[in-house]
Amino acid sequence: FEPGIKVLVCDSRALKYWGDKSISFRAPFWRFYWNHQPGAWVLFEDRSIELSPDRIYLIPPETDFYPDLRSPVHHFYLHFVARPPFERAASGVYDQPAGPGRLERMKILESLMDQPATPETDIPFTLHALALVHDVLSGFPAGALAAKPADDRIGRAQAAIRDNLRSPWSNTQLAEAAHMTPNAFIRRFQAVAGESPQLYARRQRVERACVLLHATGNSIEQIAEATGFCDRY
């Protein structure tokens, strides 16, 4: 199994301000949080959750939550994306023990952040960040993950869309990837995915573009080309 994890941002900084409590932090990527000291909270649904220094916190993509900083903290955070079944998970704020091994790895990452960016530091930094994500996802409750597609044929079509967002997929081409007739494919895709193949493809393009706009220095034109949009508009 290859989860296809890609780290977007990994940083550690002193926080004196952490957004507006009235504006959701919803995003199309995972968030990993750990704080050196108490003082930060997140508001999720009708709960106010304190971020304790002895716990790490995972927040899945597309979760509506709101920051609440009540006193300054030193904040370690990591944003990442992953393939199914980790592409979608039930919304929530999931906590796990920080533990000596995880604390040590975050300490290593913070020490590497203080060094100039070179191949000698970039490679271990990336590998330690990936190891940390693999570790915490191994403890994520399986019941909260999106279930495998009910039909492997539809799963193949969805994978084809995700793996080549530049392609202007037609329903006929997707039906061929699923080894189905076009009419049967469209009906089955709607039943399994809850949306049409073209709406699914458009949503995948928009979400990938959101990630690239947030986490890269690429121009809007480059991102449009990479995600199958005809131009920046």
Side-chain angles (χ1 to χ4, degrees), residues 1 97 186:
F1 172 65
I186 294 168

Side-chain angles (χ1 to χ4, degrees), residues 28-219:
F29 48 79
W30 287 81
R31 296 177 186 264
F32 170 109
Y33 290 154
W34 174 71
N35 290 333
H36 287 248
Q37 57 277 121
W41 301 63
V42 294
L43 309 177
F44 171 70
E45 294 183 339
D46 59 350
R47 293 186 293 140
S48 185
I49 302 165
E50 182 179 12
L51 304 188
S52 172
D54 63 352
R55 312 290 290 179
I56 60 95
Y57 298 86
L58 278 178
I59 302 177
E62 307 303 340
T63 295
D64 274 309
F65 72 101
Y66 302 82
D68 184 8
L69 190 64
R70 302 182 185 180
S71 61
V73 298
H74 197 97
H75 179 63
F76 180 99
Y77 65 98
L78 195 154
H79 301 166
F80 64 93
V81 293
R83 290 179 183 166
F86 296 106
E87 182 190 35
R88 286 284 183 274
S91 292
V93 179
Y94 299 86
D95 65 295
Q96 300 177 23
R102 291 170 175 175
L103 291 171
E104 179 61 25
R105 195 174 295 280
M106 287 186 284
K107 182 179 178 181
I108 292 170
L109 284 163
E110 288 180 330
S111 70
L112 290 169
M113 292 174 194
D114 293 333
Q115 300 179 34
T118 67
E120 288 73 22
T121 58
D122 286 352
I123 291 173
F125 183 88
T126 300
L127 294 176
H128 277 294
L130 285 169
L132 182 60
V133 173
H134 278 264
D135 182 20
V136 297
L137 284 184
S138 71
F140 192 82
L145 293 175
K148 180 182 177 183
D151 190 320
D152 286 339
R153 298 170 299 175
I154 302 307
R156 285 196 299 271
Q158 290 174 324
I161 291 170
R162 292 192 304 268
D163 291 343
N164 189 0
L165 292 178
R166 294 185 182 188
S167 175
W169 290 101
S170 68
N171 288 336
T172 300
Q173 290 172 314
L174 291 170
E176 289 174 357
H179 307 300
M180 299 174 70
T181 64
N183 287 341
F185 167 75
I186 294 168
R187 288 195 301 271
R188 185 60 179 158
F189 195 104
Q190 181 77 42
V192 170
E195 59 189 341
S196 72
Q198 294 306 316
L199 282 177
Y200 177 85
R202 187 181 308 164
R203 180 168 60 80
Q204 293 296 317
R205 290 188 177 102
V206 169
E207 291 185 359
R208 183 74 60 82
C210 285
V211 169
L212 294 174
L213 286 165
H214 179 90
T216 74
N218 294 346
S219 69

